[in-house]
Amino acid sequence: RMAEFILSEKKGRVGLITLNRPKALNALCAQLVEEMAAAIDAFEADPEVGCLMLAGGEKAFAAGADIKEMQSKSYMDAYMQDFITVHWERAASCRKPIIAAVRGYALGGGLENALGCHYRIAVASAKVGLPEVLIGLLPGGGGTQRLPRLIGPKIALDLIVSGRHVPAEEAG
């Protein structure tokens, strides 16, 4: 089936995957995450592709998990359906390097998605954060482990417990 929420193209030896749900600021719904994983699979299997780049739009790399899709699910519904998480680690498990190209907001699951990539490049105007605490949740996509390793425990803890958004440069 044709991808609805991502664009995928080969540019030379680079497989470019662009999250394409601009009206929702690239919120990570289950279908988008599934399409992203399928694109990673295809580029990983292509011997002509040497690396991958994961990008979002100008306003948002990804503004987090799709809260509208989540709100009707109980904990057990999400757990038993393996909601979003079934494909969540696909970037981190890719054998080819993946670069996250971050513009705009990379919040919650969006930031965690970028953290799962091998490299991250952010424009100066990018804003990052883990705002889950503001709705009574903990970051569930690896942010509590990956972020401290990358930027140190002090700044990571501040971002995790405050839920604030900071310029990418401040986060490290």
Side-chain angles (χ1 to χ4, degrees):
R1 93 178 171 201
M2 184 80 167
E4 183 179 351
F5 296 130
I6 65 147
L7 302 173
S8 180
E9 65 180 306
K10 216 176 358 180
K11 291 195 171 196
R13 290 191 33 86
V14 177
L16 176 59
I17 301 167
T18 304
L19 307 181
N20 188 34
R21 215 178 152 214
K23 291 180 183 172
L25 296 176
N26 292 328
L28 303 171
C29 64
Q31 183 179 338
L32 183 149
V33 174
E34 183 179 341
E35 290 175 5
M36 181 184 67
I40 292 170
D41 290 345
F43 285 135
E44 186 176 53
D46 186 337
E48 294 178 9
V49 173
C51 73
L52 287 69
M53 179 169 282
L54 180 63
E58 244 178 82
K59 290 184 181 179
F61 174 76
D66 189 338
I67 302 300
K68 288 180 186 171
E69 188 179 34
M70 293 171 57
Q71 69 187 22
S72 65
K73 296 183 184 302
S74 70
Y75 168 78
M76 283 309 293
D77 291 338
Y79 180 77
M80 295 306 290
Q81 294 170 10
D82 210 359
F83 176 67
I84 293 180
T85 58
V86 67
H87 299 293
W88 198 261
E89 292 292 317
R90 188 58 190 100
S93 67
C94 185
R95 292 177 306 234
K96 294 180 180 179
I98 301 182
I99 302 163
V102 179
R103 296 184 297 171
Y105 292 103
L107 303 174
L111 175 58
E112 291 173 309
N113 201 10
L115 292 171
C117 293
H118 301 98
Y119 302 97
R120 288 146 302 283
I121 299 169
V123 298
S125 60
K127 297 271 194 227
V128 302
L130 295 170
E132 289 90 337
V133 69
L134 302 176
I135 59 170
L137 299 173
L138 290 172
T144 58
Q145 288 78 48
R146 289 187 176 114
L147 194 61
R149 284 188 224 134
L150 290 171
I151 67 172
K154 184 177 178 184
I155 298 170
L157 182 61
D158 173 49
L159 293 178
I160 293 165
V161 301
S162 72
R164 67 189 183 100
H165 311 164
V166 298
E169 186 176 58
E170 181 182 332

